[in-house]
Amino acid sequence: MDPPESPPAGQPSLADASLYEDSPVFDFINSLSPIGPPKPLGPAQNVQLFKSSDLASLSSIFTSPQVNPQKETKPGTRDGYALLSQGLSPNCQRNQIGISSCIELSGSPTVASEICSPSEDATIFPSKWPQSIQLGSETLGVAETQDTDGKADHGADVGQGKLSSSGYDQNGIDQMDSSTSGRNVQENELAKQYNDDLAACSLNHLISHSGTGNGVMSKSGLSLEAQQLSWNLKCDDVIFSKSLMPVDQGNSEASRRKLLDGSTGCYIQSTADNAHVQCAGAAEGVATNHGPEMLPSVIRSQLVSNEHFFNTFKVPSDGMALTEHQCGMPRRSLFNEKVGSSDMSVQSGSNLHHANICGDNYLKPVGSPVYALSGIGLHLNAVASNSSNNMPFTINPPLPPEHNSPTTIVSCSELYTRIHDDHSSQKTMPNADESFQESHKKRRRKLKNGDGDSCRHCSCKKSKCLKLYCACFAAKVYCSGYCSCQGCLNNHTHEETVSCIRKRTESRNPLAFAPTVTHGFDSGSDFGGDSNQTPASARHKRGCNCRKSSCLKKYCECFQSGVGCSMSCRCEGCKNSFGKREGMLLATEKMEKGAKAKGTRLKEEKLGFEKQDVVGQSGDLLSTENLYATPSLEPCRSSILLPSTSQSPMKADVLLPLETCAAEMILEDGSSNIQEMSSSWVTSVKVVSPNKKRVSPLHIGTRLSPIGRSGRKLILKSIPSFPSLTGDADSEPH
DNA sequence: GAGTTTGAAACT
DNA sequence: CAGTTTCAAACTC
């Protein structure tokens, strides 16, 4: 749309010319003046696309790290694309919004068109994303944008100068806001959706993160860092590696975020307070992270809308990223650069650098020295990848072997698909879908094989895994690579967003994250006194509302969790084999049978009391309404030692064989809640959902959860499934 | 594997 | 707060 401006004459070549001497782009870059007074926005200037929805409520400040333009791409191609996402703290004000920025370096206008079909472009890029925002007045950058027509516009802006991030930020924000008017319906809808969801939480995080692909780029169920670190990166040839300034900040964040070998790949992930760039090469399955500073100086920075981040990179055979292309990603421009200020933290090599845009930290690198280069502060990541849509994007958790990328990588097509979904599914990307499905299948296969972690292996498509629809979210765990969700934001990268959403959800419903069914396993003893447990369930207190399933199918939460329905249930025609709601007789025939056979019924009741005591100790609330069953469909391999407490009238330990595991343990106590099993008890009981589907032993560290965590609602949220790795997901206070 | 059913969650 | 819609899992074919 915007014709490229001719670059001003001048200048110092920032880049390492040796590599790209022959590149016109390089020449161009060299000709640009790195630092200069801010220029007014002009058509020629960077075009920035935003997703109004994302931005509307957000103000964003962007810092563009200054990068040494050393590695320019070959002519006619984009060297790289950097997406810089920045996370903001929840309390970030509008001005403090963290936004992910995509920085593109485009050498030739043609690239985008190659990758993205016009139609796609049209869809992805609303015709009226008018506003380009320049955060930095003087930025050198070739901006390539696509118009609604699907045309790729290339604008070359030559900027000199420092960018005063603060000043421009505001402008950029305003512009961004204004840009919303031009959005197409899809964008508006999406924006609305997200704004609604996130606004309360300072959308910033979400935006910035989602900008990286809605979490598509990174899904973490496990410690992302650890996994990534453990991976060998293959992308040695990432363009940026050389251009990067090896400045190590010693930033704790950086260390925390060390994901990939800095020399390779690039992907940008941002947490609330930091961002990194990640690039993944699909073909090689390479993923690399680069600090913003690593990016080429000539860049177009853009803010990427939460949902629309999608890039494909074309990688030349030589391993250089030839082109970067935005496949239908609405972008926000972000171009703040504070020269000489510490907008960005720079990390060399594998280290990530983070930009903290939020609040006080705005424009300050988090705990890291600022590495400012004159010229344009942009982050460019080039990733070697084939031109196909299969280019993987990084996702956290353990990838199935099929993925040859060290990091969890989602194919571009998948990402595309996700984006597609995000955008109202009006577009179709056959290839992407196929790719996605394929990986999806792989994941499922893996799951079937028992692989996976504490995550719930959700398959969310529209909820971004930020609603209780999402089993993972409901369980307060991050999604992992084993999930097949799309547009996932429930990951470490978006941890603050997740936290915000959780809070919001909880504010709406304090019991939202309470276990669907209280099993009373939360006595600390079982878990080493882990206090990180959710209060006894509330959900089950609400009870099910089954009408057609007669509480005999897993549609019924009670049934799924293997407990009888309670007074709280409003089910119709309850036939819950674990205990019917009618008459509040909690025991099933089987249970009674078992109880009689063992003569343990009375003891069980007492145990129930004991449980209460235990629970009380743990601060959990017990519902007398609930009956809890810990049925096991599997043959009971062992007897259960029921703990006795001094408080219990019957102190004798009860050894309860579980021959009839399924319903046997359902206890009925008309006047009391029982069912709270002592931890010791619990540990010895293996609970299996009726059909075992979605119920798998919860691995808590090395231990199994007493009750298999089954579906979304049955998950004992009080039990951290993978505390250390999931970060706050499991341990976060409720 | 695709489509339908189901009921909780979210929205109005 | 009730009714409706949305969502993702469960289920069926």
Coordinates of all heavy atoms in Angstrom, one line a residue, chain A residues 629-681:
Chain A
A629 N -17.0 -41.0 46.3 CA -16.7 -42.4 46.1 C -15.3 -42.4 45.4 O -15.0 -41.5 44.7 CB -17.7 -43.0 45.1
T630 N -14.6 -43.3 45.7 CA -13.3 -43.5 45.1 C -13.3 -44.8 44.5 O -12.5 -45.7 44.8 CB -12.2 -43.4 46.1 OG1 -12.4 -44.4 47.0 CG2 -12.2 -42.0 46.7
P631 N -14.2 -45.0 43.6 CA -14.3 -46.3 43.0 C -13.1 -46.6 42.1 O -12.5 -45.7 41.5 CB -15.5 -46.2 42.2 CG -15.6 -44.8 41.8 CD -15.0 -44.0 43.0
S632 N -12.9 -47.8 42.0 CA -11.9 -48.2 41.0 C -12.5 -49.3 40.2 O -13.0 -50.3 40.7 CB -10.6 -48.7 41.7 OG -9.8 -49.2 40.8
L633 N -12.4 -49.2 39.0 CA -12.9 -50.2 38.2 C -11.9 -51.3 38.0 O -12.3 -52.4 37.7 CB -13.2 -49.6 36.8 CG -14.3 -48.6 36.8 CD1 -14.5 -48.1 35.4 CD2 -15.5 -49.2 37.4
E634 N -10.7 -51.0 38.3 CA -9.8 -52.0 38.2 C -9.8 -52.9 39.4 O -10.2 -52.5 40.5 CB -8.4 -51.4 38.1 CG -8.3 -50.7 36.8 CD -6.9 -50.1 36.7 OE1 -6.1 -50.2 37.7 OE2 -6.6 -49.5 35.6
P635 N -9.3 -54.1 39.2 CA -9.3 -55.0 40.4 C -8.4 -54.3 41.4 O -7.4 -53.7 41.2 CB -8.6 -56.2 39.8 CG -8.7 -56.1 38.3 CD -8.8 -54.6 38.0
C636 N -8.9 -54.5 42.6 CA -8.1 -53.9 43.7 C -6.9 -54.8 43.9 O -7.0 -55.9 44.3 CB -8.9 -53.8 44.9 SG -10.3 -52.7 44.7
R637 N -5.8 -54.2 43.8 CA -4.6 -54.9 43.9 C -4.2 -55.0 45.3 O -3.4 -55.8 45.7 CB -3.5 -54.3 43.1 CG -3.8 -54.3 41.6 CD -2.6 -53.8 40.9 NE -2.9 -53.7 39.4 CZ -3.5 -52.7 38.9 NH1 -3.8 -51.7 39.6 NH2 -3.7 -52.7 37.6
S638 N -4.7 -54.1 46.0 CA -4.2 -54.1 47.4 C -5.2 -53.7 48.3 O -6.3 -53.1 48.0 CB -3.0 -53.1 47.5 OG -3.5 -51.8 47.2
S639 N -5.0 -54.0 49.5 CA -6.0 -53.5 50.5 C -5.7 -52.1 50.8 O -4.6 -51.6 50.6 CB -5.8 -54.4 51.8 OG -4.6 -54.2 52.3
I640 N -6.7 -51.5 51.4 CA -6.5 -50.1 51.7 C -6.5 -50.0 53.2 O -7.3 -50.5 53.9 CB -7.7 -49.3 51.2 CG1 -7.6 -49.4 49.7 CG2 -7.6 -47.9 51.6 CD1 -8.9 -48.9 49.0
L641 N -5.5 -49.3 53.6 CA -5.5 -49.0 55.0 C -6.1 -47.7 55.3 O -5.7 -46.6 54.8 CB -4.0 -48.9 55.4 CG -3.9 -48.6 56.9 CD1 -4.5 -49.7 57.7 CD2 -2.4 -48.4 57.2
L642 N -7.2 -47.8 56.0 CA -7.9 -46.5 56.2 C -7.3 -45.9 57.5 O -7.2 -46.6 58.5 CB -9.3 -46.8 56.4 CG -10.0 -47.3 55.2 CD1 -11.5 -47.6 55.5 CD2 -9.9 -46.3 54.1
P643 N -6.9 -44.8 57.4 CA -6.3 -44.1 58.6 C -7.3 -43.9 59.6 O -8.5 -43.6 59.4 CB -5.8 -42.8 58.0 CG -6.7 -42.6 56.8 CD -7.1 -43.9 56.3
S644 N -6.9 -44.0 60.8 CA -7.8 -43.6 61.8 C -7.2 -42.3 62.5 O -6.1 -42.0 62.4 CB -7.8 -44.7 62.9 OG -6.5 -44.8 63.5
T645 N -8.1 -41.7 63.0 CA -7.6 -40.5 63.7 C -8.1 -40.5 65.1 O -9.0 -41.2 65.5 CB -8.2 -39.2 63.1 OG1 -9.6 -39.2 63.2 CG2 -7.9 -39.2 61.6
S646 N -7.4 -39.8 65.9 CA -7.8 -39.8 67.3 C -9.2 -39.2 67.5 O -9.9 -39.4 68.4 CB -6.8 -38.9 68.1 OG -6.9 -37.6 67.6
Q647 N -9.5 -38.4 66.5 CA -10.8 -37.8 66.6 C -12.0 -38.7 66.2 O -13.1 -38.5 66.6 CB -10.9 -36.6 65.6 CG -9.8 -35.6 66.0 CD -9.8 -34.5 65.0 OE1 -10.2 -34.8 63.8 NE2 -9.2 -33.4 65.3
S648 N -11.6 -39.7 65.5 CA -12.7 -40.6 65.1 C -13.0 -41.5 66.3 O -12.2 -42.0 67.0 CB -12.2 -41.4 64.0 OG -13.1 -42.4 63.7
P649 N -14.3 -41.7 66.4 CA -14.8 -42.6 67.4 C -14.1 -43.9 67.2 O -13.9 -44.6 68.2 CB -16.3 -42.7 67.1 CG -16.6 -41.5 66.3 CD -15.4 -41.1 65.6
M650 N -14.0 -44.3 66.0 CA -13.4 -45.6 65.8 C -12.0 -45.3 65.3 O -11.8 -44.9 64.2 CB -14.2 -46.4 64.8 CG -15.5 -46.7 65.4 SD -16.5 -47.6 64.3 CE -15.6 -49.2 64.4
K651 N -11.1 -45.6 66.1 CA -9.8 -45.3 65.7 C -9.1 -46.4 65.0 O -8.0 -46.2 64.4 CB -8.9 -45.0 67.0 CG -9.4 -43.7 67.6 CD -8.6 -43.5 68.9 CE -9.1 -42.2 69.6 NZ -8.4 -42.0 70.8
A652 N -9.7 -47.5 65.0 CA -9.0 -48.6 64.4 C -8.8 -48.4 62.9 O -9.7 -47.9 62.3 CB -9.8 -49.9 64.7
D653 N -7.7 -48.7 62.5 CA -7.5 -48.6 61.1 C -8.3 -49.7 60.4 O -8.5 -50.8 60.9 CB -6.0 -48.9 60.8 CG -5.2 -47.7 61.3 OD1 -5.8 -46.7 61.6 OD2 -4.0 -47.9 61.4
V654 N -8.7 -49.3 59.3 CA -9.5 -50.2 58.6 C -8.8 -50.7 57.3 O -8.4 -49.9 56.5 CB -10.8 -49.6 58.1 CG1 -11.6 -50.5 57.3 CG2 -11.6 -49.1 59.3
L655 N -8.7 -51.9 57.3 CA -8.1 -52.4 56.1 C -9.3 -52.8 55.1 O -10.0 -53.7 55.4 CB -7.3 -53.7 56.4 CG -6.6 -54.2 55.2 CD1 -5.6 -53.2 54.7 CD2 -5.9 -55.5 55.6
L656 N -9.4 -52.1 54.1 CA -10.5 -52.4 53.2 C -10.0 -52.9 51.9 O -9.5 -52.1 51.1 CB -11.2 -51.1 53.0 CG -12.4 -51.2 52.1 CD1 -13.4 -52.2 52.7 CD2 -13.1 -49.9 51.8
P657 N -10.3 -54.1 51.7 CA -9.9 -54.7 50.4 C -10.9 -54.1 49.3 O -12.0 -53.8 49.6 CB -10.2 -56.1 50.5 CG -10.4 -56.4 52.0 CD -10.8 -55.1 52.6
L658 N -10.4 -53.8 48.2 CA -11.2 -53.2 47.2 C -11.5 -54.2 46.1 O -11.1 -54.1 45.0 CB -10.6 -52.0 46.6 CG -10.3 -50.9 47.6 CD1 -9.6 -49.8 46.8 CD2 -11.6 -50.4 48.1
E659 N -12.2 -55.2 46.5 CA -12.5 -56.2 45.4 C -13.4 -55.6 44.4 O -13.3 -55.8 43.2 CB -13.1 -57.4 45.9 CG -12.1 -58.2 46.7 CD -12.3 -58.0 48.1 OE1 -13.1 -57.1 48.5 OE2 -11.7 -58.6 48.9
T660 N -14.3 -54.9 44.8 CA -15.3 -54.3 43.9 C -15.0 -52.9 43.9 O -15.7 -52.1 44.4 CB -16.7 -54.6 44.4 OG1 -16.8 -53.9 45.6 CG2 -17.0 -56.0 44.5
C661 N -14.0 -52.6 43.2 CA -13.5 -51.3 43.3 C -14.5 -50.2 42.9 O -14.4 -49.1 43.4 CB -12.2 -51.2 42.5 SG -11.0 -52.3 43.1
A662 N -15.2 -50.5 41.9 CA -15.9 -49.4 41.2 C -16.8 -48.6 42.2 O -16.6 -47.4 42.3 CB -16.8 -49.9 40.1
A663 N -17.7 -49.2 42.8 CA -18.6 -48.4 43.5 C -18.5 -48.7 45.0 O -19.1 -48.1 45.8 CB -20.0 -48.7 43.1
E664 N -17.6 -49.5 45.3 CA -17.6 -50.0 46.6 C -17.3 -48.9 47.6 O -17.8 -49.0 48.7 CB -16.4 -51.0 46.7 CG -16.4 -51.8 47.9 CD -15.4 -52.9 47.8 OE1 -14.9 -53.0 46.7 OE2 -15.2 -53.6 48.7
M665 N -16.6 -48.0 47.2 CA -16.2 -47.0 48.2 C -17.2 -45.9 48.3 O -16.9 -45.0 49.1 CB -14.8 -46.5 47.9 CG -13.8 -47.5 48.0 SD -13.9 -48.3 49.6 CE -13.5 -46.9 50.7
I666 N -18.2 -46.0 47.6 CA -19.1 -44.9 47.8 C -19.8 -45.0 49.2 O -20.3 -46.1 49.5 CB -20.2 -45.0 46.8 CG1 -19.6 -44.7 45.4 CG2 -21.3 -43.9 47.0 CD1 -20.5 -45.0 44.3
L667 N -19.7 -44.1 49.9 CA -20.2 -44.1 51.2 C -21.4 -43.3 51.3 O -21.5 -42.2 50.8 CB -19.1 -43.6 52.2 CG -17.8 -44.3 52.1 CD1 -16.9 -43.7 53.1 CD2 -18.0 -45.8 52.5
E668 N -22.3 -43.9 52.0 CA -23.4 -43.0 52.3 C -23.5 -42.6 53.7 O -23.5 -43.5 54.6 CB -24.7 -43.8 51.9 CG -25.9 -43.0 52.3 CD -27.1 -43.8 52.0 OE1 -27.0 -44.9 51.6 OE2 -28.2 -43.2 52.2
D669 N -23.6 -41.4 53.9 CA -23.8 -41.0 55.2 C -24.9 -40.0 55.1 O -24.7 -38.9 54.7 CB -22.6 -40.4 55.8 CG -22.8 -40.0 57.2 OD1 -24.0 -40.0 57.6 OD2 -21.9 -39.7 57.9
G670 N -26.0 -40.4 55.5 CA -27.1 -39.5 55.3 C -26.9 -38.2 56.0 O -27.3 -37.1 55.5
S671 N -26.2 -38.2 57.0 CA -26.1 -37.0 57.8 C -24.7 -36.4 57.7 O -24.4 -35.3 58.1 CB -26.4 -37.2 59.2 OG -25.5 -38.1 59.7
S672 N -23.9 -37.1 57.1 CA -22.5 -36.6 57.0 C -21.9 -36.8 55.7 O -22.3 -37.6 54.9 CB -21.7 -37.3 58.1 OG -21.5 -38.6 57.7
N673 N -20.9 -36.1 55.5 CA -20.2 -36.2 54.3 C -19.1 -37.1 54.7 O -18.4 -37.0 55.5 CB -19.5 -34.9 54.0 CG -19.2 -34.3 55.2 OD1 -19.5 -34.9 56.2 ND2 -18.7 -33.3 55.2
I674 N -18.7 -37.9 54.0 CA -17.7 -38.8 54.4 C -16.7 -38.8 53.3 O -15.9 -38.1 53.1 CB -18.3 -40.1 54.5 CG1 -19.3 -39.9 55.5 CG2 -17.3 -41.1 54.7 CD1 -20.1 -41.0 55.6
Q675 N -16.7 -39.5 52.8 CA -16.0 -39.5 51.6 C -14.7 -38.9 51.5 O -13.9 -39.1 50.6 CB -16.8 -38.9 50.5 CG -17.8 -39.8 50.3 CD -18.8 -39.5 51.3 OE1 -19.0 -38.6 51.6 NE2 -19.5 -40.4 51.7
E676 N -14.4 -38.1 52.4 CA -13.1 -37.6 52.3 C -12.1 -38.7 52.8 O -12.2 -39.1 53.9 CB -13.0 -36.4 53.3 CG -13.9 -35.3 52.9 CD -13.5 -34.7 51.6 OE1 -12.3 -34.9 51.3 OE2 -14.3 -34.1 51.0
M677 N -11.4 -39.1 51.9 CA -10.5 -40.1 52.3 C -9.2 -39.5 52.8 O -8.7 -38.6 52.3 CB -10.1 -40.9 51.0 CG -11.4 -41.6 50.5 SD -12.0 -42.7 51.7 CE -12.9 -43.8 50.7
S678 N -8.7 -40.2 53.7 CA -7.4 -39.8 54.1 C -6.4 -39.9 53.0 O -6.6 -40.7 52.1 CB -6.9 -40.5 55.3 OG -6.7 -41.8 54.9
S679 N -5.4 -39.2 53.2 CA -4.5 -39.3 52.1 C -3.9 -40.6 52.0 O -3.6 -41.1 50.9 CB -3.4 -38.3 52.4 OG -2.7 -38.7 53.6
S680 N -3.7 -41.2 53.1 CA -3.0 -42.5 53.0 C -4.0 -43.5 52.3 O -3.6 -44.3 51.5 CB -2.8 -43.1 54.4 OG -4.0 -43.2 55.1
W681 N -5.2 -43.3 52.6 CA -6.2 -44.1 52.0 C -6.1 -43.9 50.5 O -6.1 -44.8 49.7 CB -7.5 -43.7 52.5 CG -8.6 -44.1 51.6 CD1 -9.3 -43.3 50.8 CD2 -9.2 -45.3 51.4 NE1 -10.2 -43.9 50.1 CE2 -10.2 -45.2 50.5 CE3 -8.9 -46.6 52.0 CZ2 -11.0 -46.3 50.1 CZ3 -9.7 -47.7 51.6 CH2 -10.7 -47.5 50.6

